[in-house]
Amino acid sequence: MTLESGLTFFLAIFLFGITPGPGILALMARGMSQGGNACVPMAVGMSLSDVCYMLAAVFGLSALATHWSELFLVIRLLGAAYLIYLGYKLWTCRPSPEDTEIPDIRGSWWRGFLQGFLISASNPKVILFYIAFLPTFMDITRLSGGDIVIAAALNLSALLIGVVPVGYAAGRIRRHLRSTRAVRRLNRSAASLMIGAGSYLALRG
């Protein structure tokens, strides 16, 4: 991989990462309901899941996407159902006065990471994107181990640089809330995003 192709690859992945979709909507919903810090583990999970899809494309597992479509359909529907469930829980929760403060999320890092990983993994079209996308920047048949490591590192860093600020931007809205009514409205706005993301994931072809 040349320096030019690496930089172009990085920029393309960055733009791909911030393109609105189920993952970005879910990340915004988490930031609006729990603050920007809570988005970091979810962003890491989403990004690592995408890297796994990239590696799957590199190592020739694209046959799973073309010949095991039923399995990917089940994965997608389960991911969509999970998003809708989270949205429902957020919509129906009753905020207390303590909810006007940013919650302590230290104990939920792995839960947020797993949510992000599953949300991204629930979109099998990502692997099709990488299958079509990677040959534009590199000859997959001639990639060395070092090239694969570099591509994975560029992929991960570009995604994190793109999606983490999105979560923090959504979290800034949360910091201005000082009443339970405002928290309830924001929670329901976030729930709508979450349910919308799940519905989009379930209905897209």
Side-chain angles (χ1 to χ4, degrees):
M1 180 185 297
T2 66
L3 177 61
E4 181 181 357
S5 64
L7 290 175
T8 308
F9 175 76
F10 179 91
L11 179 60
I13 292 295
F14 173 84
L15 295 175
F16 170 70
I18 62 175
T19 300
I24 289 294
L25 292 178
L27 192 72
M28 291 175 61
R30 187 173 179 87
M32 291 168 64
S33 62
Q34 297 186 39
N37 289 340
C39 293
V40 174
M42 175 176 278
V44 173
M46 290 168 53
S47 301
L48 284 178
S49 181
D50 270 36
V51 171
C52 289
Y53 269 134
M54 187 207 78
L55 294 175
V58 168
F59 289 111
L61 297 183
S62 59
L64 290 177
T66 55
H67 299 298
W68 288 28
S69 57
E70 294 84 0
L71 173 61
F72 278 106
L73 175 62
V74 171
I75 293 174
R76 177 165 59 86
L77 292 178
L78 287 175
Y82 180 62
L83 282 174
I84 293 173
Y85 168 76
L86 291 178
Y88 168 78
K89 295 290 289 184
L90 193 57
W91 182 280
T92 56
C93 71
R94 295 183 177 180
S96 62
E98 291 77 15
D99 290 332
T100 60
E101 301 297 329
I102 298 299
D104 183 358
I105 51 90
R106 289 175 296 179
S108 60
W109 201 98
W110 286 108
R111 182 172 59 186
F113 171 85
L114 184 60
Q115 288 177 355
F117 191 93
L118 292 177
I119 288 169
S120 185
S122 298
N123 188 5
K125 285 195 173 182
V126 173
I127 193 173
L128 298 178
F129 167 81
Y130 283 115
I131 291 169
F133 176 76
L134 290 178
T136 305
F137 299 93
M138 61 195 77
D139 184 352
I140 296 179
T141 62
R142 297 184 178 181
L143 283 179
S144 65
D147 289 331
I148 294 174
V149 171
I150 292 173
L154 288 173
N155 195 346
L156 180 62
S157 57
L159 289 171
L160 288 176
I161 291 172
V163 301
V164 169
V166 172
Y168 273 100
R172 289 183 65 86
I173 300 174
R174 175 68 174 80
R175 293 183 179 275
H176 295 290
L177 302 179
R178 291 296 182 267
S179 71
T180 55
R181 177 178 295 182
V183 171
R184 183 182 298 111
R185 289 176 178 173
L186 186 64
N187 282 350
R188 291 188 173 181
S189 297
S192 298
L193 286 175
M194 194 78 76
I195 294 172
S199 301
Y200 173 77
L201 192 61
L203 297 176
R204 64 182 299 181

